Amino acid sequence: MQVYQTIREAAYEANMQLPALGLVLFTFGNVSAADRSKGLFAIKPSGIPYQELSPAKMVVVDFDGKTVDGALRPSSDTLTHAVLYKHWEDICGIAHTHSTYATAWAQSLRDIPVYGTTHADHNTVDIPCASPMSDEMISGDYELQTGYQILNTLTARGLSHQEIEMILIGNHGPFTWGATPAQAVYNSAVLENIAHMAHLTESINGTVGRLKESLIRKHYERKHGPQSYYGQ
Amino acid sequence: MQVYQTIREAAYEANMQLPALGLVLFTFGNVSAADRSKGLFAIKPSGIPYQELSPAKMVVVDFDGKTVDGALRPSSDTLTHAVLYKHWEDICGIAHTHSTYATAWAQSLRDIPVYGTTHADHNTVDIPCASPMSDEMISGDYELQTGYQILNTLTARGLSHQEIEMILIGNHGPFTWGATPAQAVYNSAVLENIAHMAHLTESINGTVGRLKESLIRKHYERKHGPQSYYGQ
Amino acid sequence: MQVYQTIREAAYEANMQLPALGLVLFTFGNVSAADRSKGLFAIKPSGIPYQELSPAKMVVVDFDGKTVDGALRPSSDTLTHAVLYKHWEDICGIAHTHSTYATAWAQSLRDIPVYGTTHADHNTVDIPCASPMSDEMISGDYELQTGYQILNTLTARGLSHQEIEMILIGNHGPFTWGATPAQAVYNSAVLENIAHMAHLTESINGTVGRLKESLIRKHYERKHGPQSYYGQ
Amino acid sequence: MQVYQTIREAAYEANMQLPALGLVLFTFGNVSAADRSKGLFAIKPSGIPYQELSPAKMVVVDFDGKTVDGALRPSSDTLTHAVLYKHWEDICGIAHTHSTYATAWAQSLRDIPVYGTTHADHNTVDIPCASPMSDEMISGDYELQTGYQILNTLTARGLSHQEIEMILIGNHGPFTWGATPAQAVYNSAVLENIAHMAHLTESINGTVGRLKESLIRKHYERKHGPQSYYGQ
């Protein structure tokens, strides 16, 4: 339907960036695009290869994950997206991938330490790795619980979803979000890059420490602070 | 001959996916496509570069590895394929590569531990690494014995070829299989991805453990179980 | 303005080489091109994706970093470039990237040891990693101080900017320079290659030593000495 | 001159394979093609980027490295090629690169152990790493001495240049050779692949041993022995 054309196109364009940026193998990833005024989001259909996608194939669902429009079954991760949209009222895009380096950190059950300014340009803290879920959460409504695991992990660490737009789910892989679906995909690519360089950093110097606070603050604020001077 | 056109084309298309997916250097890999009704399979000719292949150059052999149709010599690994087709009556595709990370695990003589959900989406167990063969097996009919080494390794571990569609041959490299040649190639790419991430996982956290059973089951069953809800 | 066309085109061409050589993700890098006769340089605008650049979008600034011509805000790293142009009178190009391996060494706070002739073909010494700046330098005019950190690091090590055309800024990433912007970009790619191989070298042999002096000298001088015989 | 057209074209085609196979950055590599009947070879000109090459730009030199035809200066490594052609009467192609993994092993001063059948398909022994040369050899006719270092290393290990068509020069990088320039380039790509997998193998299993002799023999002989059955 024409009425969902904007989010379908936004979701389509953002999904197509995943293979273009080298973040997915086969169908191992998905992006969604929300329309806050309607309380809906468009998401990749489950298991369809990227080269077969089109805006029309995007599935429109509500913030409880129920399909509103679309002939295909939505991504199996739809409920995770739904939970985040429901709780975080200012995001309009979410991305999930199994990108190689970010996923390796998730499998390693480790936060990614802030080792450099590339990291600090985007986040002032280590990128959190949520613990694997309890057996109860897994055997329950798994994808819904994945969403709550993300919410709870940020809360437990005193972080807001504006301060950090990326997380690792232990043993699984990364989720990222942002004001737009394009921003969510951007964050996925940045996270993969940070994950790659953090791994190399530890290989090159096994005793290296985190970036010092003054440098973290400086880089984050020149890009995101009230006196930011990066970009146009 | 026109009568073998279907498997020749299927084998050709599947072989051409190996370089497209970055799984082979030069001629180091081969895929076959079986026609169960005729008891035959088409396989890549030996030592011919991928860019020179065509459906007509695929060699048609029976399940004892004897050439039935085709002007070229079949892959030197033909007898390994033949043994597997003979013993596993529901597979129609087999792939063999020397892809970098899977081969490195094979050379390391280690099973690939299940460290994450990317692995569990496809297999519930570690990916087995068959022991290098005995000198007797090597000096005998080597490629035939490679097939038996695969059969015996799965049997010894109590695994069926439906549960796991990929294996490493110690010191050599991976073999994968499936209901179609395209599925066999898909499995080769998934295995390479899993192998890469498992290596990184151990580098990032040297004491990390396997995925817990509840999570393995959940991911495998949402894709392959009776209540699967992945895909269309 | 037509009068700045030459440096705008040179800066544009050099900036476009960064993605072509795989040295940047998104907008994480910048190159400048100086016109010594005018005391000006053209530099990438801040935060603009490479595929949207054009010569006209390059920003022309003086050696104090003040914009002389151009509608966009110059790179946030402009003052670092300005300091180097002001102090080194024979360079006409500077490049900055967050290329993966060079940045990992910078994050590791280690000089890159001279392990082979690829390194010695370009430098006779380890590639210096400048210490992270003091809190005072960071909270002051950060990018200007980054320039002074580069100057001071070379001075403290008794190195001239002709002897070594590349440096790492601890926790940040590489800066390179040269007689032309193309040479600065060339140096960025060489540095990334050296950084990659040095990391692998230490992984393969944890106790390997530096190249011996006679071999360093031989390789450097056959390319750069008075009797050089490399090139045309 | 028309009379050298065949080796000029062969050298040109082989040189162009180096960037196509990802084996070189900028001008860091060269291939030559010999005409045994004339006692000459064509080689890449020094320092010219691959995309600017043409058959006419190849330089024709004799087996003492003296230029016979061509307007440009030949590769700085010409004398190394000359020594090998002079001493090994059945090779018509030599390649030299600074490919990343092979060069890292050379910088590590280690032979590459035979860890798998990909290696054994091409060589029955570890790939030798020649020791860095003495100061006398370096300060003498360096590139000529590099050739002798290759000859002496094979002799000292009781290896013929037919048994092994590749070597590492300690601290420098690989040289490969073969019956044709295409074979020499093929060997460079195989060596890079073997070097990459050997590094990963040691990372994955730090105590893994070499391939056993029976398997080395089997794989080498099915490709190169009197009863070889690989290829057409």
Side-chain angles (χ1 to χ4, degrees), chain A residues 115-118 122 186 189 193 197 200-201 203-205 208 211-212 214-215 218-219 222 229-232, chain C residues 26-28 46 48 72-73 76-77 98 101 103-105 107-108 110 133 135 138 142-143 171-172 199:
Chain A
Y115 283 136
T117 63
T118 317
H122 298 90
Y186 170 91
N193 186 236
M197 295 199 302
L200 290 171
T201 300
S203 297
I204 294 168
N205 184 349
V208 76
L211 204 57
K212 62 180 175 174
S214 58
L215 196 49
K218 177 66 195 175
H219 266 263
R222 75 174 193 164
Y229 49 92
Y230 184 91
Q232 299 300 323
Chain C
F26 298 123
T27 61
F28 308 172
S46 183
I48 308 284
L72 298 166
R73 188 189 288 183
S76 58
D77 297 306
H98 288 208
Y101 289 91
T103 301
W105 279 89
Q107 294 189 163
S108 304
R110 288 186 56 201
M133 289 182 276
D135 288 0
I138 291 169
Y142 176 66
E143 292 81 11
N171 292 137
H172 187 168
H199 163 59

Side-chain angles (χ1 to χ4, degrees), chain D residues 200-218:
Chain D
L200 290 170
T201 300
E202 295 188 348
S203 297
I204 294 168
N205 184 348
T207 61
V208 75
R210 282 174 178 67
L211 204 58
K212 62 180 175 174
E213 200 56 30
S214 58
L215 197 48
I216 293 174
R217 280 286 144 206
K218 178 65 195 177

Side-chain angles (χ1 to χ4, degrees), chain C residues 99 101-102 112 127 166-168 174-176 186-196, chain D residues 25:
Chain C
S99 68
Y101 289 91
I112 305 179
I127 295 163
M166 50 188 74
I167 196 169
L168 306 173
F175 279 85
T176 62
Y186 170 92
N187 286 333
S188 289
V190 167
L191 171 54
E192 180 67 0
N193 185 236
I194 290 171
H196 189 172
Chain D
L25 174 68

Side-chain angles (χ1 to χ4, degrees), chain B residues 21-40:
Chain B
L21 288 162
L23 299 173
V24 290
L25 175 68
F26 298 125
T27 61
F28 309 172
N30 46 73
V31 192
S32 63
D35 180 335
R36 288 277 161 194
S37 71
K38 298 195 178 70
L40 300 172

Side-chain angles (χ1 to χ4, degrees), chain A residues 178-201:
Chain A
T180 63
Q183 179 66 25
V185 171
Y186 170 91
N187 287 332
S188 290
V190 167
L191 171 53
E192 179 67 1
N193 186 236
I194 290 171
H196 189 171
M197 295 199 302
H199 162 59
L200 290 171
T201 300

Side-chain angles (χ1 to χ4, degrees), chain A residues 58-79:
Chain A
M58 297 295 121
V59 188
V60 179
V61 302
D62 66 20
F63 290 172
D64 292 315
K66 291 212 194 73
T67 296
V68 169
D69 192 65
L72 297 166
R73 187 189 289 183
S75 165
S76 58
D77 297 306
T78 295
L79 280 176

